[in-house]
Amino acid sequence: MPVKSKVLVVEDEKSISNFIIAILTANNYDVVTARTGQEAYSLITSCCPDIVILDLGLPDMDGIDVLKAVRKWSFLPVIVVSARANERDKVEALDLGADDYITKPFGTEELLARIRTALRHTRTSGANRDVAQSGKFTAGELTIDYEKYRVFVAGVDVGLTQNEFKIVSLLGKYAGKVLTYDFIICEIWGPNTNGDNQILRVNMANIRRKIEKNPAEPKYIFTEVGVGYRMIEGD
Ligand code: CA
């Protein structure tokens, strides 16, 4: 029998905490809970969770401070839970080393997908192991061929430019995970690019025109408004 993953849920709102516990228990996770940042911090050190679901608004401190403290000594995956419309918090959390974020209110499938993705990426030190082994990423009709440097939709080469390919392949390596605009820009154009998202937006518009049936309603690469982009999880 596979070992259950242990999830630490840090949340002071009882109804949300109960909701998360019910979902996780039903899906074969072990759950421990904390209501404050202090409790979270001592449980992280004493009971060694595999992953932490961390609310940012805690009674005794900002969840961001818990994240900062953990990141001083550990790569333990952390998914931050934040209120809607607080994009700056999400970007800050990701830049400080959160693996992902989820926005309240969220659904069962979204929570489970985020947890699966975060656990998978840590076990393979960042990038997706299946991609590394096969040299390919596949989701529906989309295939990224890392050896040929090409992207196919339904078997047809969509003809991406070099930078377009770099963006798509980066998102594919971290499929299921949101990548911030700054992270993508730094990876593609280098650290000295001015913090302007315009060039990335133009590239993304071209990518979508080439890979999506309806670029206004993308199926493969999603926009996380004010934060970045996320590739759909692979098959
Ligand atoms: Ca809260």
Side-chain angles (χ1 to χ4, degrees), residues 11-13 55 57-58 104:
E11 172 63 73
D12 59 313
E13 273 173 73
D55 181 30
L58 297 172
K104 291 180 191 174

Side-chain angles (χ1 to χ4, degrees), residues 17-164:
S17 165
N18 287 342
F19 170 68
I20 298 177
I21 293 166
I23 293 171
L24 295 182
T25 310
N27 285 276
N28 216 27
Y29 289 98
D30 274 338
V31 185
V32 274
T33 56
R35 207 184 61 81
T36 65
Q38 276 305 332
E39 276 174 32
Y41 201 65
S42 72
L43 281 171
I44 286 168
T45 46
S46 65
C47 85
C48 306
D50 298 298
I51 184 165
V52 180
I53 311 292
L54 176 65
D55 181 30
L56 288 183
L58 297 172
D60 59 336
M61 63 174 87
D62 196 326
I64 286 283
D65 294 326
V66 177
L67 174 66
K68 277 186 197 159
V70 169
R71 277 292 169 270
K72 282 185 186 151
W73 54 273
S74 157
F75 291 113
L76 174 66
V78 175
I79 298 175
V80 157
V81 179
S82 81
R84 190 166 288 283
N86 216 339
E87 282 135 19
R88 204 182 302 167
D89 280 2
K90 294 170 189 168
V91 174
E92 188 190 6
L94 293 168
D95 285 344
L96 285 168
D99 293 77
D100 210 335
Y101 68 83
I102 189 162
T103 305
K104 291 180 191 174
F106 50 83
T108 307
E109 283 315 310
E110 194 183 1
L111 176 68
L112 292 172
R114 295 286 186 277
I115 292 175
R116 272 198 311 271
T117 300
L119 286 172
R120 187 190 307 138
H121 284 294
T122 45
R123 288 192 185 126
T124 57
S125 64
N128 189 318
R129 184 184 49 202
D130 297 339
V131 170
Q133 277 173 356
S134 68
K136 282 198 175 89
F137 169 83
T138 313
E141 292 189 318
L142 179 80
T143 302
I144 306 171
D145 189 324
Y146 285 87
E147 275 150 26
K148 294 183 182 148
Y149 298 98
R150 300 214 183 292
V151 170
F152 300 88
V153 173
V156 179
D157 183 347
V158 298
L160 298 185
T161 66
Q162 200 176 7
N163 279 341
E164 288 164 7

Side-chain angles (χ1 to χ4, degrees), residues 147-231:
E147 275 150 26
K148 294 183 182 148
Y149 298 98
R150 300 214 183 292
V151 170
F152 300 88
V153 173
V156 179
D157 183 347
V158 298
L160 298 185
T161 66
Q162 200 176 7
N163 279 341
E164 288 164 7
F165 178 79
K166 282 191 200 164
I167 295 166
V168 173
S169 65
L170 183 67
L171 287 160
K173 270 185 206 155
Y174 292 93
K177 206 173 147 154
V178 62
L179 302 183
T180 63
Y181 297 124
D182 284 355
F183 177 81
I184 299 170
I185 289 169
C186 185
E187 289 287 315
I188 308 298
W189 288 282
N192 297 322
T193 320
N194 61 14
D196 180 8
N197 299 341
Q198 183 60 19
I199 185 166
L200 179 56
R201 276 207 298 274
V202 169
N203 273 272
M204 188 53 70
N206 291 330
I207 290 166
R208 285 192 168 135
R209 209 164 31 75
K210 293 175 183 178
I211 70 168
E212 302 279 1
K213 274 205 180 88
N214 177 2
E217 281 177 39
K219 275 197 328 188
Y220 298 117
I221 298 174
F222 306 108
T223 299
E224 302 280 330
V225 177
V227 179
Y229 297 108
R230 184 195 301 273
M231 174 74 81

